[in-house]
Amino acid sequence: MVKPPALRPGDTVGVVAASATVEHEHLERGVGVLTALGYKVRVSKHALDRDAILAGTDRDRAEELAAYFADPKIRAVFGARGGYGCGRLLPLLDFAAFARTPKIFLGFSDATFLLNVIVEKSAMVCFHGPMVAMDFARGLTRRSLDHLVRILSGETRSFELDAHETVRPGTAEGELIGGCLSVVVAMLGTPYAPRFDGKILFLEDTGEKAYRIDRMLVQLRQAGVLDRVAGIVFGAIRPVDGSESERALIARFVAEQTADLRCPVLFGIDAGHGTENLALPMGARTMLDGARRRVLFMDAAVS
């Protein structure tokens, strides 16, 4: 697995809108945070475009993402926001070319499409974490911001996160894949679906009713995915309107759909929607320890 070069103060971060439309004010606030961290920032010229609900045409968004990966002056590419749209870009991108110019890619939510395909087809570590016109604009906690900077600079080589609950006991080790549950499910049956065998599957989501979470877990189960992974770790799964009854149903459905698995299942690390959204290195070696309710990211280093 290729590790991208570390990001240092003074390096240029490229911000690309690969999904839904972006609000100018939110983008400016997020860029301000990056500038305060000491990075130079280049925002893609189409970042504020609007094509229905998308941030510009598929072709423009794909070309800008590819151009930012190819540009040697840009040391990292950060997503502007999620929503919807990344999946439409996959046939338009040359992921082998991404591997020839490795650099940090950071995003989550709808960017789950890109994260998994970069890991699979570019064989490159990338990062599930905060986005510029979303989390950065709203304000990251000091813990989340420090964690991100240390990982992307190479200062943090490995780290542990606590889970709230062990759903299934045991230990497991493998490369980390996954992200937003609804996007992972949407990738099934396509040429871009991750290879799940022996991997640690990370899942999170937001704004979904409990029955829809169950439906997606059932689909993963019936597709054979849950029997093929080495382990599963859930981040936040935030129910519609924060309903406690829905939250309890989601917990029940997660337990039911994983009850007879042979692999460990942990629930509730601070990653994804509605949490501190601590950055995770996708494609990096990861170990689950059910007895300690710990997830160890063993080699989160950039090069």
Side-chain angles (χ1 to χ4, degrees):
M1 190 67 64
V2 175
K3 297 175 185 176
L7 185 65
R8 312 288 188 193
D11 287 344
T12 298
V13 172
V15 178
V16 173
S19 298
T21 55
V22 176
E23 294 297 327
H24 182 264
E25 181 183 349
H26 296 169
L27 182 61
E28 278 199 338
R29 283 205 303 267
V31 167
V33 175
L34 294 178
T35 302
L37 290 172
Y39 306 129
K40 299 174 184 176
V41 181
R42 188 192 305 174
V43 177
S44 66
K45 66 181 180 180
H46 290 291
L48 296 174
D49 283 5
R50 292 178 179 267
D51 182 23
I53 64 170
L54 303 171
T57 67
D58 293 347
R59 181 65 62 184
D60 283 344
R61 286 178 289 121
E63 287 181 353
E64 288 206 320
L65 181 60
Y68 272 33
F69 260 94
D71 190 337
K73 294 180 182 178
I74 293 176
R75 300 282 292 184
V77 179
F78 288 9
R81 63 156 296 179
Y84 172 75
C86 280
R88 298 169 61 125
L89 306 186
L90 301 182
L92 305 177
L93 295 167
D94 180 358
F95 290 97
F98 284 19
R100 292 193 291 270
T101 55
K103 60 189 62 179
I104 289 164
F105 178 75
L106 174 71
F108 84 116
S109 191
D110 187 58
T112 294
F113 284 109
L114 293 170
L115 294 171
N116 285 281
V117 181
I118 289 171
V119 167
E120 180 71 29
K121 297 189 180 296
S122 306
M124 184 167 62
V125 172
C126 51
F127 297 88
H128 180 286
M131 300 181 86
V132 178
M134 295 173 62
D135 316 69
F136 282 97
R138 287 192 293 261
L140 293 168
T141 66
R142 175 50 56 184
R143 177 192 179 206
S144 180
L145 196 59
D146 288 348
H147 172 81
L148 178 66
V149 170
R150 287 197 303 268
I151 287 178
L152 300 189
S153 69
E155 181 181 343
T156 294
R157 297 282 169 173
S158 63
F159 64 96
E160 291 185 346
L161 294 181
D162 293 324
H164 297 313
E165 179 185 358
T166 295
V167 181
R168 293 280 306 157
T171 59
E173 181 180 326
E175 292 178 358
L176 187 69
I177 61 169
C180 185
L181 171 60
S182 55
V183 174
V184 173
V185 168
M187 298 178 80
L188 296 180
T190 74
Y192 308 102
R195 286 185 293 179
F196 295 97
D197 301 79
K199 304 296 177 66
I200 302 297
L201 178 60
F202 166 68
L203 298 171
E204 63 88 36
D205 217 318
T206 187
E208 298 282 8
K209 286 188 172 292
Y211 81 88
R212 296 180 64 175
I213 297 296
D214 188 61
R215 183 174 65 198
M216 289 186 280
L217 292 175
V218 167
Q219 185 171 351
L220 288 176
R221 182 184 179 91
Q222 293 179 351
V225 169
L226 302 188
D227 291 324
R228 289 154 51 196
V229 298
I232 306 169
V233 55
F234 288 87
I237 298 189
R238 188 171 62 176
V240 174
D241 300 327
S243 164
E244 287 305 316
S245 60
E246 287 286 299
R247 196 184 306 276
L249 266 179
I250 288 170
R252 171 183 167 177
F253 289 148
V254 167
E256 287 179 353
Q257 298 305 334
T258 62
D260 60 354
L261 298 182
R262 298 177 182 178
C263 68
V265 179
L266 276 65
F267 190 93
I269 62 171
D270 285 331
H273 294 87
T275 70
E276 289 191 278
N277 203 12
L278 298 172
L280 308 180
M282 308 301 287
R285 300 296 296 179
T286 302
M287 186 176 75
L288 305 186
D289 183 344
R292 297 172 63 225
R293 290 187 292 109
R294 287 287 181 93
V295 184
L296 171 62
F297 302 88
M298 294 181 288
D299 190 6
V302 289
S303 63

